[in-house]
Amino acid sequence: MKERLPLFIGGEFVAGESHRILAVTNPATQEVLTELPFATQEEIDRAVASAKRTFFSWRETPVPERARLMLRYQHLLKEHQDDIARVLSRETGKIFSDAQGDVWRGIEVVEHACNIASLMMGETAENVGGRIDTCTYTQPIGVCAGITPFNFPAMIPLWMFPLAIACGNTFVLKPSEHDPMTPNLLAELFVEAGAPEGVLQVIHGGRDQVDALLAHPDIRAISFVGSLPVARHVYRTGTQHLKRVQAMSGAKNHMVVMPDANRERVIRSLVGASCGAAGQRCMAISVAVFVGDAANWIPDIRNAMAAVSPGPWDDGNAAYGPQINPEAKERILKLIADGKNEGADCLLDGSNCRVAGYPEGNWIGPTLFSKVSPGMRIYTEEIFGPVLLCAQVGGLDEAIRIINANPYGNGTSIFTSSGAAARKFQHEIAVGQVGINIPIPVPLPFFSFTGWRQSFFGDQHAYGKQAVKFYTETKTVMARWPDDAPPGEPNMTINLA
Ligand code: NAD
């Protein structure tokens, strides 16, 4: 029997008492890495109570001190970046460079949180009425909770709890049940950085644990990242319970290829953006829309995709790792079969992918379809695997219409050498994150992660200034201080020369 992964409540790692256990496995081998007890209602209540108790002291901790905690945390995360990446590689199957990137993009958010004093500064206006001044203060809101997906087990928890806690809140994290070892490691390092007990708790589980958090009366705000059906459920239920909710959801990201684009860059970018991280990225490019003669490059793209292959985390030649679990692999295989049945042209089929020495891995090889139309299931569903669909259109207007008709609006990009085409695209496209000659335009943490339409529910997005607004409340103070001097007689002794 494997050791059970503990929960983290009240500053201590505690053994979960549940009989409901999930085996966490290595996706390249199916080796059981740990056993995960799903938190009981009593454990969830204990975690929230601990966060609630701590909130009243933590909110009084001076903001520079909260920033210093983040500075120490950033330093420790950097020091342990490779240790975290190794654990992350084992439980997600990610190749080591992808795992390092996952950790690094989380570290960048912690760096942003180090600047919390400036981010929380309010506004002032003097003399808004006779001797009345007005100022705003930004105050924390209470206990916040985060629910995260499997695909970035370091980065996405780090999108949430460092900023929420730096703002003066306390936090309950419910990471994905598929890769919970990395978030536990993040909590360990947070303790080492000097986080007071009760500021962060980690409870494990799945749907039931999420529902318990959504209904918990002492939780003020919920940050969620995951698939569209679950995002809808979380947003509806959380707001019904009168909580603030930000729900980052699924995606279907298109890249428009104009005939005047740089051919080599297009090919390189499409291979990396569709297959990188096994296609398990919410900003992966899953549809390439070729305008006019750009479609002539499809055979070259096929050859470039055929030249990459998946492999285990420490194989320097592997382009990406396995899918997270056999269910995810099966779902993708089914969608590939649907694509063939629906009449799309399968130019490269990764369904029967094998990796020497890893017969049990959840491998899917690079897969390319052309002649894809918007009614097909492979087009309407998020595939979340190394599968690229190609569509052909006559002009940029038609490309924009197709993208704007898709319900998702997470990311998109255009490859072109025309400023006019790029300007038209960035203005008319109804997608929240746009790349121009950049395939995956993920904003750095001093901006926010601004998915649109069905890719996001709520109004304040993850990280950046918007997250600070999400995790805080504005208090406006109007002050008049009585003064015995008659009004209208300012001090006349100022030298204005
Ligand atoms: P998921 O929706 O299956 O799970 C996300 C979280 O919700 C997990 O913590 C899980 O335990 C919980 N959950 C699962 N089913 C639930 C249910 N029925 N009720 C309540 N909670 C439930 O997502 P996933 O497979 O872990 O992650 C992949 C998805 O996340 C993709 O759709 C991807 O596009 C999306 N994603 C979006 C972003 C973004 O910023 N928009 C970023 C990363 C991933």
Side-chain angles (χ1 to χ4, degrees), residues 147-152 155-156 159 174-178 205-208 210-211 214 224-231 233-234 247-251 280-283 324 382 384 408 410 433 449 451 455-456 462:
I147 298 152
T148 54
F150 78 82
N151 66 327
F152 283 97
M155 177 185 81
I156 295 183
W159 278 7
K174 203 300 287 169
S176 168
E177 60 274 42
H178 303 301
R207 188 180 62 191
D208 295 346
V210 171
D211 286 341
L214 294 176
F224 170 85
V225 180
S227 60
L228 176 60
V230 185
H233 166 69
V234 165
M248 279 60 82
S249 160
Q280 299 174 131
R281 288 194 283 215
C282 70
M283 289 289 279
I324 188 70
E382 182 182 29
F384 223 53
Y408 291 111
N410 217 31
Q433 299 170 108
F449 190 91
S455 293
F456 177 72

Side-chain angles (χ1 to χ4, degrees), residues 48-384:
V48 178
S50 158
K52 187 177 173 185
R53 237 182 354 263
T54 311
F55 173 64
F56 296 105
S57 52
W58 181 241
R59 75 194 288 271
E60 297 305 324
T61 305
V63 68
E65 233 175 273
R66 303 202 303 260
R68 271 178 224 122
L69 169 63
M70 295 303 152
L71 281 166
R72 291 192 299 270
Y73 192 38
Q74 184 264 9
H75 178 76
L76 275 175
L77 288 171
K78 271 179 78 176
E79 210 172 75
H80 291 275
Q81 184 184 355
D82 284 358
D83 305 327
I84 305 169
R86 267 186 287 276
V87 170
L88 197 154
S89 281
R90 286 183 77 205
E91 61 179 351
T92 61
K94 280 190 188 188
I95 56 169
F96 194 53
S97 55
D98 278 346
Q100 287 172 309
D102 189 331
V103 183
W104 178 251
R105 283 188 293 272
I107 292 175
E108 289 181 321
V109 184
V110 179
E111 283 173 4
H112 180 63
C114 295
N115 195 27
I116 196 64
S118 312
L119 289 167
M120 285 185 75
M121 275 165 36
E123 297 172 315
T124 61
E126 196 187 32
N127 236 12
V128 297
R131 284 182 179 156
I132 298 176
D133 301 331
T134 302
C135 64
T136 64
Y137 292 95
T138 306
Q139 296 196 335
I141 54 177
V143 180
C144 303
I147 298 152
T148 54
F150 78 82
N151 66 327
F152 283 97
M155 177 185 81
I156 295 183
L158 291 172
W159 278 7
M160 299 177 181
F161 74 80
L163 268 170
I165 289 173
C167 287
N169 303 290
T170 52
F171 206 87
V172 180
L173 175 69
K174 203 300 287 169
S176 168
E177 60 274 42
H178 303 301
D179 42 21
M181 290 158 53
T182 304
N184 267 33
L185 197 47
L186 298 179
E188 261 177 51
L189 291 170
F190 202 43
V191 173
E192 205 178 319
E197 61 184 50
V199 162
L200 172 69
Q201 352 286 313
V202 185
I203 59 130
H204 293 293
R207 188 180 62 191
D208 295 346
Q209 288 63 30
V210 171
D211 286 341
L213 294 174
L214 294 176
H216 203 292
D218 290 331
I219 292 177
R220 287 286 315 277
I222 302 271
S223 300
F224 170 85
V225 180
S227 60
L228 176 60
V230 185
R232 282 195 183 124
H233 166 69
V234 165
Y235 189 75
R236 284 198 186 112
T237 315
T239 51
Q240 249 167 28
H241 285 280
L242 305 180
K243 298 184 194 318
R244 230 177 243 201
V245 182
Q246 54 173 197
M248 279 60 82
S249 160
K252 196 84 180 176
N253 305 310
H254 299 65
M255 177 167 135
V256 175
V257 184
M258 300 294 286
D260 62 4
N262 179 302
R263 183 176 154 281
E264 298 310 316
R265 250 188 230 137
V266 165
I267 295 170
R268 210 174 42 241
S269 299
L270 274 176
V271 175
S274 61
C275 296
Q280 299 174 131
R281 288 194 283 215
C282 70
M283 289 289 279
I285 292 293
S286 47
V287 187
V289 184
F290 296 91
V291 175
D293 290 345
N296 295 336
W297 302 341
I298 294 176
D300 302 320
I301 292 160
R302 185 211 166 275
N303 294 341
M305 284 178 76
V308 300
S309 52
W313 74 281
D314 55 351
D315 176 352
N317 293 320
Y320 61 89
Q323 307 312 125
I324 188 70
N325 53 34
E327 294 76 28
K329 177 179 169 177
E330 276 314 305
R331 203 182 47 78
I332 297 165
L333 291 180
K334 171 95 181 50
L335 282 162
I336 294 174
D338 285 345
K340 292 179 198 161
N341 293 335
E342 286 180 317
D345 200 357
C346 189
L347 302 177
L348 183 66
D349 185 354
S351 302
N352 294 313
C353 178
R354 306 252 180 282
V355 172
Y358 293 84
E360 304 295 328
N362 311 318
W363 310 110
I364 301 232
T367 300
L368 183 69
F369 280 100
S370 72
K371 303 207 172 76
V372 173
S373 60
M376 294 177 178
R377 235 187 114 218
I378 43 167
Y379 182 79
T380 53
E381 288 205 15
E382 182 182 29
I383 300 177
F384 223 53

Side-chain angles (χ1 to χ4, degrees), residues 413-434:
S413 68
I414 184 169
F415 273 61
T416 181
S417 57
S418 157
R423 169 66 177 69
K424 178 182 170 67
F425 185 74
Q426 78 175 48
H427 183 65
E428 294 181 14
I429 208 73
V431 173
Q433 299 170 108
V434 181

